[in-house]
Structure formats: structure tokens, C-alpha cells
Amino acid sequence: MTALLLLPLLLPFALPAAAHRALDRLAPVAALRTVTLCAVVLAGCSTAALGAFVLIGLLKLPFFAALGELVHPLRTASGVFVVPAAALSAGVLVRCAWTFARSLVQQARAFRAARSQAGRGPVAGDLCVVDSPCPDAYALPGRPHRIVVTTAMLRSLDGPEREALFAHERAHNEGGHHYFLLAAELAAHCHPALRAVRGTIRLAVERAADEAAALSVGDRRLTARAIARAALAGQGGHGARPGFAAAATTGPVPRRVQALLAVPRASRAGRAVAAFLIACTAVSGVASVTGMAAFHHRVEVAQGEARP
């Protein structure tokens, strides 16, 4: 049982390198969906395993054993290992909850500020222009979705480049990319190994929007030029915006431009990496569920309700 519950805590360490390879070898949308799904499931399994360790440790203590109506000792590993592991797991869970709650509050404040700023500028369809000397453009989710662009950014691009930039930001809103970024943020707070995956998911979001913009304007080279010029213009920083508001100027722009200028190709290696990611996620899920079921059975045995 203990070994099964340790597995969901170890498998996330395999995800960062595999996620990086998946983005290189899969289509951006496929990589985005696969990596995000795996990160969320692995985060959930590791959190469940930590919770199970906390419960095991508590039931080794006489007070909680009586509260749980245990008439026999709970059969687990030695208390010398279980109780410290439970204390450590409880500390990790509290820290994860605290950092995620703090991040959520910060993101909510930034979102309200961005929506308020967008509401004060002139609107044309889903496009909102903000008068600012700071070049910036990003997709702002909400009801309705908005594409926020500053006057400085508009002055930095010519007409066709603006259209490519707008197509990029529109792809973020139409693809619901803010949900993927929120999922990446949640996963990053559940397991330290998944923090590196957050950057990969953000890059996958931008790559997916790059490809959608190139398809929309019908010119990959124009899209690459628009993204490069927008990124150069926005190097001085950007205004307050929530982390889940995707923007064309984020991520490793040279790598994105290079990908746009290259010819897209399907890869068998990409399918192999995707299979590896799904296999790791499946193993983690099975180990987590099996470990929890074994723990539940041992609790029933200790309560005298089931046979060993």
C-alpha cells in the first residue's frame, strides 16, 4: 500500500522532460491538450496520495483511532515512518493550498483591473484599444471576450501585422486557452516537479495560437514577423494583466518564430512521447486508486467490518 501511494509522488518528475519533447514532436494543439491533461491528473493523484498519508498517520494516533472506531490496530508500515510522513504530507498540503489561494487572489485582482481598464477604452467588436505608452496586446477572457491592445502596440506594427496579431489573440479566446493556463497554475502548486511544466503549457498555448493565426491570415512568414516585431516592441514590460491572459509577446519568441518558418511535419516520435505521457498518467491513476482502495480495506479490517 505504501509503495503504491509513493508512486504518484514520484511519477510527476518524469513529466517536464517528456512534456518538452511532446511540444517539439507533436502538433501544438495535441501537445497542449495531452500535456495539460497529464499534468492535471498527475497533480490530482499526488495530492490524493499526500492526503492518504495524512489519514494513515492520524489513524496511528490513539485519539484518531478511537474517533475512527478502530477496534484493531491499523496494519501499515512502522509508525516510525508513517507518523513523520503524515506530518510532512500535511505540511506540504497546507503550503500548496496557501500558495494556490494567494495566487488565485492575485490573479483575480489583476483580472478585475484588466477588465476595468478594457471597459474604459473604445471598443470595436471584440477589440479594445487602451491608450498607453507601453506596447502590449493580450487576450482577455470574460463575458464578452476581449482583445486588448495598447495604442503604442498599434503604432509599432503595420496593417497586415496588426491583423496577424489580432488573429493570434483571437485564437486564444476561441481556443479557451485561459483554462489551460489556469490548469497549469493549479498543477504547479500541487507538485514541485510540475512547476516546470507550467512554462511548457504556456509555450504550447502560444504555439497553438501562432498556428491558428498563420492559418487565418494565410501567411506564416507574415505571422512570424508580426510576433517578432510585437515582442521587440513589448520588451520594456507590460501593464497589469492576469497570468492566464495569454499574449503573443510571451514565451521564447525566437523558438516560436523558427517553428512558424519551418514546414510542419507529423512525427512518429511525437506519438511515442504522447503514449509515454499517457502511460505515466495511467500508472499514477491506477496506483493512486489501488492504494486508496487498499487503505480503505485495512481501515474496515481495523474496524472489524471486513476480514483481512
Side-chain angles (χ1 to χ4, degrees):
M1 178 183 69
T2 303
L4 284 173
L5 293 175
L6 282 174
L7 205 53
L9 300 177
L10 297 176
L11 282 172
F13 287 101
L15 187 60
H20 183 78
R21 288 179 176 272
L23 187 54
D24 285 338
R25 292 167 171 79
L26 287 172
V29 173
L32 174 62
R33 292 175 178 173
T34 303
V35 172
T36 305
L37 175 62
C38 293
V40 170
V41 174
L42 288 172
C45 291
S46 64
T47 302
L50 288 173
F53 277 121
V54 172
L55 290 176
I56 292 170
L58 288 176
L59 291 176
K60 296 293 284 187
L61 302 176
F63 173 78
F64 290 99
L67 197 64
E69 300 179 351
L70 304 188
V71 295
H72 304 293
L74 182 65
R75 292 176 53 249
T76 63
S78 171
V80 176
F81 166 77
V82 170
V83 175
L88 179 62
S89 298
V92 171
L93 286 174
V94 170
R95 177 174 172 76
C96 290
W98 166 249
T99 57
F100 179 68
R102 185 176 59 183
S103 174
L104 200 61
V105 170
Q106 293 172 347
Q107 297 293 333
R109 288 174 178 170
F111 177 70
R112 285 197 298 268
R115 290 294 297 188
S116 176
Q117 183 186 49
R120 293 193 296 268
V123 176
D126 61 348
L127 181 65
C128 175
V129 179
V130 175
D131 187 13
S132 171
C134 178
D136 195 16
Y138 57 92
L140 185 63
R143 295 185 179 179
H145 293 323
R146 294 291 187 204
I147 298 170
V148 180
V149 61
T150 64
T151 51
M153 179 61 81
L154 291 177
R155 288 193 295 267
S156 301
L157 306 176
D158 61 26
E161 290 168 349
R162 292 175 188 173
E163 290 304 317
L165 179 66
F166 298 158
H168 175 100
E169 304 302 348
R170 195 166 284 118
H172 282 313
N173 282 332
E174 292 175 353
H177 291 167
H178 50 286
Y179 293 119
F180 292 95
L181 295 176
L182 283 171
E185 184 70 17
L186 172 61
H189 289 281
C190 292
H191 196 287
L194 299 178
R195 293 172 190 167
V197 180
R198 177 171 48 187
T200 303
I201 291 175
R202 180 168 289 277
L203 176 55
V205 160
E206 296 305 327
R207 284 283 298 112
D210 290 345
E211 293 296 330
L215 183 63
S216 176
V217 300
D219 191 335
R220 299 180 67 85
R221 191 170 292 275
L222 168 63
T223 305
R225 187 173 74 246
I227 289 168
R229 291 192 63 183
L232 286 173
Q235 279 184 335
H238 56 77
R241 67 174 187 238
F244 56 83
T249 56
T250 59
V253 175
R255 179 179 172 185
R256 291 167 50 202
V257 170
Q258 185 179 14
L260 277 169
L261 296 178
V263 179
R265 294 179 180 177
S267 171
R268 290 184 180 180
R271 291 190 287 270
V273 173
F276 174 76
L277 286 170
I278 294 171
C280 285
T281 305
V283 169
S284 180
V286 170
S288 179
V289 171
T290 305
M292 293 290 288
F295 168 62
H296 182 262
H297 176 71
R298 293 190 184 188
V299 170
E300 289 185 330
V301 170
Q303 290 175 332
E305 297 178 359
R307 294 182 179 182

